[in-house]
Amino acid sequence: MKAMHDVIAIADPIMMKAKTIITTVRNTTTPLRAEKRIHPFWVIVHKEIADHVRSWRFNILVVLIALTCFGSLYTSLTALTRGSKPDAVTDAFLFLKLFTLTDGTLPSFTVFISFLGPLLGISLGFDAINSEQNRGTLSRLVAQPIHRDYVINAKFTAALIVISVMLFTLSLLVTGIGLIRIGIPPTPEEFWRILCFVLISICYVAFWLNLSILFSIRFRQPATAALCGIAVWLFFTIFYQLLVNMIAKNMEPSIMATSEQVIRYQQFIFNLLRIVPSQLFNEATTTLLMPSVRSLSPLTMEQVYGTIPSPLPLGQSLLVVWPQLTGLAAATVLCFALSYASFMRREIRSR
Amino acid sequence: MNEYIIELADLTKQYGNYTAVDHLNLTIRKGEIFGLLGPNGAGKSTTILMMLGLTEPTSGRVRVCNWDATRYPIEVKKRVGYLPEDVGFYEDYTGFENIVYTAQLNGIGRGEAAQRAQQLLNRVGLADAAHKKAGKYSRGMRQRLGLADVLIKNPEVIILDEPTLGIDPKGVQEFLSLIVQLSREEGLTVLLSSHHLEQIQAICDRVGLFVKGKLLAEGNVHTLAGNLFTSEPLTIEARITIPVTSVVTVNDLQRMLQDIEGVLTVAIQGNTFQIDCARDVTSQIARKVIMAGADLNYLHKKEYGLEDIYHHYFKEYESYA
């Protein structure tokens, strides 16, 4: 009996070896073609992009934004053709007017983006995590051999890709249609400015996207998260201005105040306004799309005296709005860091 | 090579002041079907989450497949399939697409994933519904899809958290036999949590009784009963009818049974005699009854099922607490 046992014991490793050989042979022969393995992170990104593109929500938003976009293009075109003779300075950047000019019936393209961008960001992110949790898919997802941060990173990346593609397409479409209508091609500088404008818009929408992802982690109900996002957005667009106006009225320096005091006061009010991401966005885009804008803070007469009203080169314009850009990026990163931290520490249970 | 595939040592998890899992020690061998049995809120799910590295233990150690689950959760999750309680799927994707997605997350290429998915769906009996949207699946179908989802990564261990919750009895039976079959064929280790006694009793090799974060007892159903009732008297139930022609009365019979060595008490309810005794004296009882001229209709030694064990342990724990 013992001998037999030993034989089995010896035979066992041999069997094991045979088995592994068989399995390796099987593994090398069965794949039909050279299988391309996608990294799990990109698997999630693919799925998320597919989900966005197929969703009603996103398609409605695309239609809405495309409509306003072409509406504003139409008004800027009519304004351009009907408008008074432009002076020599702005004439050089005629093409950029497509994005900023309006005949008064509809706001310009940039204003639309600053208004609808938040809506786009919020709507792509407000149910990112909580809907997965409510459907019971989150616990299944994190039980797969992936790092947990892949889930939010991939969701953010996917939404960002969708937003980028959409904004680039729209801007290039506007550029293309404008090109056909007005017949003047953009200069390389104008083209770079448009490109910068699109990049800033993406960053701006990314901020709202991150904010809504943060809410989607915090709140179990997607409706609550969406409402929170919209509340923040409304607060910043409507009530914050009101609040700052009230503060400004109360702090108004007397007529006897020195110019230094007045400047300090103005600066303070500006800085208060700049807490709002949409303010940062507006300042950045106007400077980029209107090269004649030279400064975003109050200038004294001495500073302006003797300047030649010429447009700034792109590098200088970027330098003027650099603080705005960093502010916007910082707000985005802050939201992301907050959502990252709260998601990583969370215990994920089923439903 | 370690023969234990799951080892928990002194595992503790606290949420503030509340101790969900309390110094738990447990080992599970390869190829075993282990049942984690306990009422709701006993800490079963928390233990499972710690095994997968989904939550960090306050203290103690978890090793699964020879990997520390807290420090190397990815390695563990590569080898362990986990079916969460009340599993959900992407409802606007078909069952097939859902598990292909899981396969891809496990680093399996698309072609191979599709092939495996189809095989597994056939295996769990969802071949007809494979291309139906998962949102239209019934509860039982969803659990079976969950099983396919767990198996697609080719795991060594599968952990099923309350897998039979909300399925009808026939579905439960099918589902459980599917688990047993898969486990035996693939040499899988299965850890199953449930608060349903009969189900655990039906399929598990070994059972752990879990209350308030503590493992009260573990072993197979028989040893559990043995451990439990050694101090307890054995109960024998006998139905005896005394013919009208017979000279013995019920009381005589009772006295005679009482005289058998080892019998403690004899209680009578109609025709049924409840005999508590210290040892197994079934044969003596039978002999006595027949010799007395009475008719013995049936004689039954009461076996303790999981139900009794369960209630007994919990009662003991409650009185102790």
Side-chain angles (χ1 to χ4, degrees):
Chain A
M1 195 58 212
K2 185 158 190 312
M4 200 172 147
H5 193 85
D6 286 345
V7 169
I8 291 170
I10 295 163
D12 211 40
I14 300 172
M15 281 299 288
M16 285 286 281
K17 206 166 227 175
K19 231 181 201 171
T20 46
I21 291 168
I22 290 167
T23 44
T24 40
V25 167
R26 209 189 283 151
N27 285 347
T28 44
T29 49
T30 39
L32 313 162
R33 52 209 135 93
E35 248 321 350
K36 209 180 79 200
R37 290 187 175 186
I38 314 167
H39 192 271
F41 178 78
W42 293 106
V43 172
I44 308 180
V45 174
H46 279 188
K47 179 190 164 287
E48 290 301 320
I49 291 179
D51 282 355
H52 280 313
V53 173
R54 276 192 231 156
S55 70
W56 274 101
R57 179 197 332 166
F58 179 70
N59 285 313
I60 288 170
L61 271 167
V62 166
V63 170
L64 190 71
I65 292 177
L67 274 181
T68 53
C69 180
F70 292 118
S72 66
L73 177 68
Y74 176 76
T75 62
S76 66
L77 279 174
T78 50
L80 265 181
T81 45
R82 183 158 20 103
S84 55
K85 236 186 169 55
D87 53 48
V89 175
T90 47
D91 209 8
F93 291 97
L94 186 71
F95 206 84
L96 293 181
K97 296 234 155 182
L98 281 177
F99 292 89
T100 53
L101 206 64
T102 166
D103 68 351
T105 47
L106 270 178
S108 67
F109 186 67
T110 53
V111 175
F112 262 126
I113 293 293
S114 87
F115 187 72
L116 288 177
L119 198 65
L120 182 65
I122 291 170
S123 67
L124 288 188
F126 74 90
D127 64 348
I129 301 296
N130 49 18
S131 74
E132 293 249 7
Q133 174 107 50
N134 292 342
R135 279 181 296 181
T137 47
L138 190 60
S139 58
R140 206 162 54 83
L141 196 58
V142 293
Q144 306 309 325
I146 51 170
H147 294 286
R148 190 189 280 197
D149 56 344
Y150 281 8
V151 178
I152 47 170
N153 291 358
K155 279 186 182 273
F156 174 67
T157 312
L160 200 65
I161 289 174
V162 168
I163 290 167
S164 310
V165 168
M166 178 183 158
L167 286 178
F168 264 110
T169 314
L170 278 179
S171 309
L172 291 180
L173 267 178
V174 167
T175 314
I177 293 172
L179 187 64
I180 294 169
R181 297 294 301 172
I182 59 177
I184 306 166
T187 60
E189 165 142 9
E190 279 175 315
F191 182 71
W192 285 119
R193 278 176 185 274
I194 293 170
L195 222 56
C196 285
F197 160 69
V198 178
L199 287 179
I200 293 172
S201 314
I202 291 169
C203 189
Y204 175 60
V205 178
F207 163 76
W208 290 100
L209 175 68
N210 267 325
L211 189 72
S212 69
I213 288 180
L214 176 64
F215 286 141
S216 88
I217 293 171
R218 281 256 83 103
F219 301 109
R220 274 300 283 269
Q221 294 305 320
T224 318
L227 209 61
C228 272
I230 291 173
V232 172
W233 171 46
L234 282 182
F235 173 77
F236 276 157
T237 43
I238 300 172
F239 299 107
Y240 192 73
Q241 254 83 346
L242 221 70
L243 223 67
V244 171
N245 278 342
M246 270 156 63
I247 294 172
K249 254 196 200 117
N250 283 325
M251 286 182 53
E252 208 165 23
S254 67
I255 5 169
M256 311 296 281
T258 61
S259 58
E260 247 171 65
Q261 276 175 315
V262 175
I263 287 177
R264 216 180 299 135
Y265 162 76
Q266 282 291 349
Q267 200 74 45
F268 176 69
I269 297 302
F270 269 127
N271 285 340
L272 272 188
L273 280 173
R274 278 179 191 144
I275 291 172
V276 187
S278 61
Q279 177 72 17
L280 295 177
F281 173 74
N282 285 339
E283 286 181 2
T285 47
T286 31
T287 314
L288 279 175
L289 292 178
M290 294 180 185
S292 50
V293 173
R294 318 189 53 128
S295 169
L296 291 165
S297 359
L299 290 175
T300 56
M301 277 314 281
E302 298 102 80
Q303 282 172 306
V304 184
Y305 186 74
T307 50
I308 306 158
S310 63
L312 291 176
L314 175 60
Q316 293 300 311
S317 287
L318 276 177
L319 210 58
V320 170
V321 295
W322 200 249
Q324 274 75 6
L325 294 187
T326 21
L328 211 53
T332 311
V333 170
L334 182 75
C335 278
F336 189 70
L338 282 178
S339 35
Y340 192 91
S342 70
F343 185 67
M344 293 306 276
R345 284 193 308 168
R346 166 106 77 105
E347 183 179 286
I348 294 164
R349 290 186 168 259
S350 48
R351 293 197 204 206
Chain B
M1 226 9 231
N2 201 330
E3 63 169 322
Y4 295 117
I5 201 153
I6 297 176
E7 293 173 79
L8 312 180
D10 250 352
L11 195 66
T12 304
K13 175 75 184 178
Q14 285 177 319
Y15 295 102
N17 285 328
Y18 175 69
T19 309
V21 178
D22 194 359
H23 296 283
L24 180 64
N25 287 295
L26 180 69
T27 46
I28 296 172
R29 269 191 209 87
K30 204 168 160 53
E32 236 179 345
I33 303 183
F34 190 88
L36 215 49
L37 183 66
N40 297 332
K44 290 172 295 180
S45 297
T46 312
T47 310
I48 290 174
L49 288 186
M50 287 191 281
M51 284 183 203
L52 288 157
L54 292 178
T55 186
E56 274 184 35
T58 312
S59 69
R61 216 164 46 88
V62 196
R63 281 184 83 79
V64 179
C65 303
N66 279 317
W67 287 93
D68 186 328
T70 316
R71 297 188 54 192
Y72 304 98
I74 302 281
E75 294 301 326
V76 169
K77 287 192 276 187
K78 269 184 201 163
R79 294 166 175 83
V80 179
Y82 167 51
L83 182 66
E85 185 183 344
D86 193 10
V87 64
F89 290 94
Y90 297 108
E91 296 190 345
D92 33 1
Y93 282 67
T94 64
F96 176 77
E97 286 166 340
N98 261 300
I99 65 172
V100 167
Y101 179 56
T102 309
Q104 285 185 293
L105 287 178
N106 280 283
I108 302 173
R110 230 203 121 76
E112 199 191 333
Q115 211 179 337
R116 283 187 56 83
Q118 198 56 57
Q119 278 171 7
L120 279 171
L121 285 170
N122 293 342
R123 192 87 191 269
V124 299
L126 283 177
D128 297 334
H131 296 287
K132 234 167 84 175
K133 295 246 155 100
K136 299 234 188 314
Y137 277 25
S138 71
R139 193 61 212 248
M141 286 162 88
R142 227 165 53 212
Q143 290 296 346
R144 275 184 284 164
L145 184 62
L147 202 57
D149 181 75
V150 160
L151 291 171
I152 199 150
K153 65 165 88 165
N154 237 339
E156 293 172 30
V157 182
I158 57 176
I159 297 178
L160 313 170
D161 196 356
E162 303 274 3
T164 53
L165 215 62
I167 319 182
D168 58 72
K170 189 166 167 287
V172 167
Q173 208 162 39
E174 282 173 9
F175 188 74
L176 290 177
S177 57
L178 190 61
I179 292 173
V180 174
Q181 190 193 344
L182 286 168
S183 148
R184 298 291 179 242
E185 280 169 22
E186 321 257 327
L188 289 174
T189 311
V190 181
L191 178 73
L192 191 81
S193 96
S194 177
H195 59 261
H196 280 294
L197 315 145
E198 327 82 59
Q199 297 168 8
I200 292 247
Q201 194 170 17
I203 69 164
C204 290
D205 302 328
R206 229 152 45 94
V207 179
L209 279 183
F210 218 76
V211 193
K212 294 191 180 155
K214 282 203 169 90
L215 193 66
L216 288 186
E218 63 161 297
N220 63 34
V221 177
H222 294 290
T223 37
L224 274 187
N227 287 347
L228 175 58
F229 296 106
T230 40
S231 57
E232 294 272 310
L234 201 67
T235 306
I236 296 169
E237 217 175 53
R239 183 167 303 149
I240 300 166
T241 36
I242 297 167
V244 231
T245 51
S246 170
V247 282
V248 280
T249 60
V250 177
N251 286 340
D252 289 339
L253 201 57
Q254 187 178 11
R255 212 172 313 117
M256 282 159 74
L257 291 175
Q258 194 85 63
D259 287 343
I260 301 173
E261 201 186 322
V263 170
L264 303 172
T265 56
V266 179
I268 301 167
Q269 261 185 337
N271 282 343
T272 314
F273 285 61
Q274 284 263 357
I275 307 155
D276 285 344
C277 40
R279 326 180 254 117
D280 191 355
V281 288
T282 345
S283 44
Q284 279 106 304
I285 293 172
R287 209 172 301 133
K288 270 267 162 77
V289 172
I290 301 295
M291 274 160 60
D295 294 341
L296 183 60
N297 298 93
Y298 100 2
L299 193 61
H300 171 70
K301 190 165 69 185
K302 221 172 165 184
E303 286 270 7
Y304 290 97
L306 207 45
E307 181 111 22
D308 305 284
I309 301 169
Y310 196 63
H311 287 305
H312 179 87
Y313 271 106
F314 294 164
K315 221 185 286 163
E316 194 175 68
Y317 188 81
E318 227 110 272
S319 60
Y320 166 75

